[in-house]
Amino acid sequence: MFSSEMIPSQQNHVVTTIETMPPETITSSPTMVQRIRKVFSRELLVTLALGQVLSLLICGIGLTSKYLADDYHANTPVFQSFLNYILLFLVYTTTLAVRQGEENLLAILKRRWWKYMILGLIDIEANYLVIKAYQYTTLTSVQLLDCFTIPVVLLLSWFFLLVRYKAVHFVGVGVCLLGIGLMVGTDVLVGRQQGLGDHKLLGDLLVLGGATLYGISNVCEEFIVKNLSRVEFLGMMGLFGSFFSGIQLAIMEHKELLRVPWDWQIGLLYIGFSACMFGLYSFMPVVIKRSSATSVNLSLLTADLYSLFCGLLLFQYKFSGLYLLSFIIIVLGLVLYTSSSTYVAQDPRIYKQFRNAGHPITDTPTLGPLEPSVTYTSLRQEIEEEPRIRVA
């Protein structure tokens, strides 16, 4: 088909093209500056900044709660959570109610109402247990034991979300925990031991229970916002959270509310608490969707340090340079964790379907043994997005 004279000419043309290639096209190993730019990408810096916004919101929640409890003796953790759930109901549940099709409130309740009911109860009791623990143990114990959320999230993500980690992720988690340990040790050195400290064992158990429930709630939240929608999650939390927290409020705190010395200052504190809590619930799914529940919980470790910095001005806390060192260590651990991508092993035999629209699932015949597929995910945006996988 081709004449013999064409082949040598094509070969000469190829050789000539290779010989005349510009030197810029020859690949070389990346320099140190290029590696640093690759690690500190725009997506990573945005993720770090968003995590610190969440920490500042938690700082606002802690400050308003401290003023209510210490200055006005208003110990109303259920009522404070109830206000937040009411706001979620008014904004997000009503949004679901006016939607059409499968994203309508009634359609969602018909398919998976009991799952959101359980998740709502878990979220309510997680908030209650941790806030209640301050009455029995010290602030230092709460700060240290609340980090138990991180291993809970790691384990649940491994077994249920099928997330697989690299060595650098465990190193990053370890560095973050080292930073929080340094902060707690500095609290002991400077004598900042807020809290009654009575029935310390009971208080510590309450913190561990609350941290476990927080871990479960955060992993479920990550799954829902990445596979369903943020509005659906917040709308269901507003619906079931306001219902069950209202019942708990009527049973456990109705007398405490009557003893609160109501005035405009207390009203402003409750408004400030509700605004910070509503902002935290509304903003956290956005950050989790960009990163992961583990990354968000690592970012929240700096919230105690922001509370400390505010306490230097408001409550005359003692300052130590070790606090700044612990903050730097926590941020360094967070950078290590987010600098490398995790990957998700998606095995259809393990990863159950959550979005059940009521239609039977037909199994397609396979020619051989079913092999699990592996999908690599990263905090940084890739050139091509992975197709969304409907799982449940």
Side-chain angles (χ1 to χ4, degrees):
M1 296 176 64
F2 297 99
S3 61
S4 59
E5 291 82 10
M6 292 180 62
I7 298 177
S9 63
Q10 291 177 355
Q11 291 175 348
N12 293 335
H13 176 70
V14 173
V15 172
T16 303
T17 304
I18 295 177
E19 291 176 350
T20 58
M21 286 176 62
E24 291 81 0
T25 58
I26 301 176
T27 59
S28 59
S29 59
T31 63
M32 182 61 66
V33 176
Q34 291 174 337
R35 292 177 179 177
I36 293 176
R37 287 181 178 178
K38 183 179 179 180
V39 172
F40 291 94
S41 63
R42 180 179 178 274
E43 288 298 320
L44 185 143
L45 295 177
V46 170
T47 301
L48 292 177
L50 293 177
Q52 297 315 297
V53 172
L54 296 179
S55 291
L56 289 173
L57 289 173
I58 290 182
C59 175
I61 292 170
L63 288 177
T64 52
S65 296
K66 181 175 176 60
Y67 273 116
L68 285 171
D70 294 352
D71 294 353
Y72 298 97
H73 305 287
N75 296 312
T76 56
V78 178
F79 177 67
Q80 292 168 229
S81 298
F82 176 73
L83 294 177
N84 170 58
Y85 290 123
I86 287 295
L87 290 176
L88 293 176
F89 178 86
L90 294 176
V91 175
Y92 296 105
T93 308
T94 54
T95 301
L96 291 177
V98 299
R99 284 185 172 181
Q100 303 295 327
E102 290 188 358
E103 295 184 350
N104 179 263
L105 176 63
L106 294 178
I108 295 173
L109 289 175
K110 183 179 179 181
R111 292 194 301 271
R112 41 185 176 270
W113 64 270
W114 62 273
K115 300 178 183 179
Y116 283 117
M117 182 185 69
I118 296 174
L119 183 57
L121 287 172
I122 290 174
D123 192 72
I124 293 171
E125 298 311 317
N127 292 324
Y128 177 78
L129 290 178
V130 173
I131 296 176
K132 192 70 174 178
Y134 283 97
Q135 300 180 16
Y136 301 104
T137 187
T138 62
L139 176 63
T140 301
S141 295
V142 174
Q143 290 171 338
L144 187 61
L145 296 176
D146 195 41
C147 297
F148 187 67
T149 302
I150 296 174
V152 171
V153 170
L154 286 173
L155 289 175
L156 293 179
S157 298
W158 180 282
F159 287 107
F160 294 99
L161 299 184
L162 304 181
V163 178
R164 298 296 179 259
Y165 304 97
K166 303 174 185 176
V168 67
H169 297 118
F170 295 106
V171 172
V173 171
V175 172
C176 287
L177 295 179
L178 177 63
I180 199 70
L182 177 61
M183 186 195 69
V184 172
T186 307
D187 283 343
V188 176
L189 292 176
V190 302
R192 193 171 75 94
Q193 292 278 340
Q194 285 83 25
L196 299 176
D198 299 329
H199 304 92
K200 192 172 184 301
L201 178 60
L202 175 60
D204 293 346
L205 292 176
L206 290 176
V207 177
L208 290 175
T212 303
L213 294 179
Y214 271 135
I216 297 173
S217 177
N218 289 342
V219 171
C220 293
E221 180 177 357
E222 178 181 355
F223 176 83
I224 293 171
V225 300
K226 288 185 176 181
N227 294 279
L228 298 173
S229 77
R230 164 180 169 268
V231 175
E232 177 176 332
F233 171 77
L234 294 174
M236 292 297 102
M237 288 299 98
L239 177 62
F240 290 104
S242 58
F243 177 75
F244 288 111
S245 62
I247 295 176
Q248 190 171 355
L249 172 64
I251 296 174
M252 302 179 63
E253 283 189 2
H254 63 283
K255 295 181 179 180
E256 189 66 33
L257 282 176
L258 296 177
R259 289 194 291 265
V260 174
W262 293 98
D263 59 17
W264 66 272
Q265 293 177 325
I266 292 181
L268 285 180
L269 288 174
Y270 275 115
I271 292 174
F273 175 90
S274 301
C276 291
M277 199 74 167
F278 178 78
L280 178 67
Y281 268 71
S282 299
F283 196 48
M284 183 178 285
V286 177
V287 186
I288 287 180
K289 190 171 184 177
R290 293 179 63 97
S291 55
S292 66
T294 305
S295 177
V296 168
N297 279 278
L298 292 176
S299 299
L300 297 183
L301 293 179
T302 58
D304 292 325
L305 289 167
Y306 292 136
S307 299
L308 167 69
F309 297 148
C310 293
L312 294 174
L313 302 175
L314 301 176
F315 308 116
Q316 288 75 47
Y317 288 168
K318 294 180 181 180
F319 178 76
S320 173
L322 294 176
Y323 286 122
L324 291 177
L325 179 60
S326 62
F327 179 82
I328 294 173
I329 291 175
I330 292 174
V331 174
L332 176 61
L334 184 58
V335 169
L336 286 175
Y337 182 88
T338 55
S339 62
S340 180
S341 61
T342 59
Y343 63 96
V344 179
Q346 295 170 345
D347 189 340
R349 294 172 299 182
I350 302 174
Y351 215 40
K352 300 297 184 181
Q353 184 177 4
F354 182 83
R355 177 179 286 181
N356 183 11
H359 301 290
I361 303 174
T362 58
D363 295 331
T364 56
T366 56
L367 299 178
L370 188 60
E371 295 294 336
S373 62
V374 177
T375 301
Y376 288 88
T377 61
S378 174
L379 295 177
R380 299 181 291 274
Q381 293 289 336
E382 303 294 340
I383 298 177
E384 296 181 357
E385 287 188 352
E386 291 288 337
R388 177 177 293 183
I389 301 175
R390 297 180 61 183
V391 292

